[in-house]
Amino acid sequence: MTMTATRQSKVSHPLFARIYPKINAVAEAHGAIEHRQELLAEATGLVVEIGAGTGANFCHYPPRADRVIAVEPEPRLRAQAERAAADARVHVEVRAGRAEALPVPDSSADAVVASLVLCTIADVPKALAEAARVLKPGGRLFFYEHIRSANPRFARKQRIVNLVWPLLGGGCNLTRDSEQAIRDAGFTIERARHFDFVIKGRTTPSAPCVIGTARKPASPASTPAAGADAGG
Ligand SMILES: C[S@@+](CC[C@H](N)C(=O)[O-])C[C@H]1O[C@@H](n2cnc3c(N)ncnc32)[C@H](O)[C@@H]1O
């Protein structure tokens, strides 16, 4: 296993850890459950979930996912994920760690899941390089992310709101083009469904979303090296 030495700060968001379950409950009451089911429908074999939060995805893994290694750095969220793991119908093991240095061996996973997390991870290129490292050649990345809007006026609004949003949202950003970041990391996008996640008729700054799948090349030589420097 190649472990990247990291001196990055701890992830600790006590307030966000308290409010995120409530935010997620509202989102799930208005469609996020269906989004999670769509995200995970084709997950098989050994799955690595990065930034698993409270473990909201765990109950939606299909039985074909034999084992899930769920990595979560925030201790309070990780404790909630451990409770969710106990109720999951598939075997879920929750591990402490960051997406930028996954505690998972090289070329061991059939799938990596990124759900509402590329908006928050400090070093997205490094995290995606890690996803590529742990995936078997030809393995798949399943993603569900809110993203920067394709509409320039809305994207400008996102940039302005983003001056304060990360402070309230545990480091979450509204301005990331996560789909492009996935391409830049050497994955091939196979499917990407774009939509506005409108809740109670309101188009919030995090409404523009994408759910999709991307594949790691079958040949490892064509995946950019871990730690390649690029914006997130
Ligand atoms: C908005 S929550 C999403 C949680 C979960 N994936 C979901 O779908 O509900 C963002 C998550 O990213 C986690 N996170 C923040 N920085 C991270 C990092 N560097 N590596 C992995 N996860 C990280 C946070 O602790 C939090 O659990």
Side-chain angles (χ1 to χ4, degrees), residues 11 16 20 24 36 49-54 56-57 71-74 77 97-100 115-117 119-122 170:
V11 175
F16 180 71
Y20 185 64
N24 185 50
R36 294 184 187 285
E49 183 173 335
I50 59 173
T54 61
N57 281 327
V71 178
E72 171 54 48
E74 212 292 331
L77 289 168
R98 302 171 62 104
E100 295 93 332
S115 145
L116 304 173
V117 73
C119 53
T120 300
I121 286 170

Side-chain angles (χ1 to χ4, degrees), residues 3-204:
M3 289 294 290
T4 311
T6 177
R7 294 193 302 138
Q8 287 166 321
S9 57
K10 277 196 328 187
V11 175
S12 175
H13 293 293
L15 179 62
F16 180 71
R18 289 237 316 258
I19 62 175
Y20 185 64
K22 297 178 181 70
I23 296 168
N24 185 50
V26 173
E28 291 200 340
H30 293 87
I33 286 184
E34 289 75 11
H35 300 162
R36 294 184 187 285
Q37 288 167 344
E38 178 181 345
L39 168 75
L40 301 171
E42 294 175 18
T44 56
L46 174 61
V47 181
V48 175
E49 183 173 335
I50 59 173
T54 61
N57 281 327
F58 297 170
C59 60
H60 302 299
Y61 278 101
R64 288 187 305 276
D66 315 318
R67 183 175 162 219
V68 177
I69 298 174
V71 178
E72 171 54 48
E74 212 292 331
R76 299 157 198 88
L77 289 168
R78 192 167 62 248
Q80 296 179 56
E82 277 160 3
R83 291 195 285 279
D87 294 336
R89 61 184 168 170
V90 300
H91 177 75
V92 182
E93 185 188 328
V94 178
R95 294 186 184 173
R98 302 171 62 104
E100 295 93 332
L102 290 171
V104 179
D106 294 357
S107 303
S108 57
D110 298 284
V112 170
V113 169
S115 145
L116 304 173
V117 73
L118 296 179
C119 53
T120 300
I121 286 170
D123 189 336
V124 171
K126 200 165 190 176
L128 289 170
E130 275 291 273
R133 177 185 67 76
V134 304
L135 277 170
K136 296 173 183 171
R140 288 207 287 174
L141 172 68
F142 295 88
F143 55 94
Y144 165 30
E145 296 292 339
H146 67 79
I147 51 173
R148 181 168 77 214
S149 175
N151 174 327
R153 281 184 63 176
F154 198 89
R156 194 165 63 239
K157 209 190 284 180
Q158 287 177 310
R159 274 201 306 280
I160 294 166
V161 178
N162 204 56
L163 295 172
V164 294
W165 188 272
L167 301 174
L168 307 171
C172 171
N173 287 276
L174 297 166
T175 51
R176 291 186 176 177
D177 184 348
S178 297
E179 193 179 332
Q180 186 57 44
I182 290 168
R183 272 195 213 94
D184 292 345
F187 288 89
T188 303
I189 303 279
E190 292 185 321
R191 188 179 76 86
R193 180 174 80 81
H194 297 93
F195 60 99
D196 282 336
F197 188 6
V198 177
I199 295 182
K200 295 183 188 167
R202 290 176 50 212
T203 305
T204 67

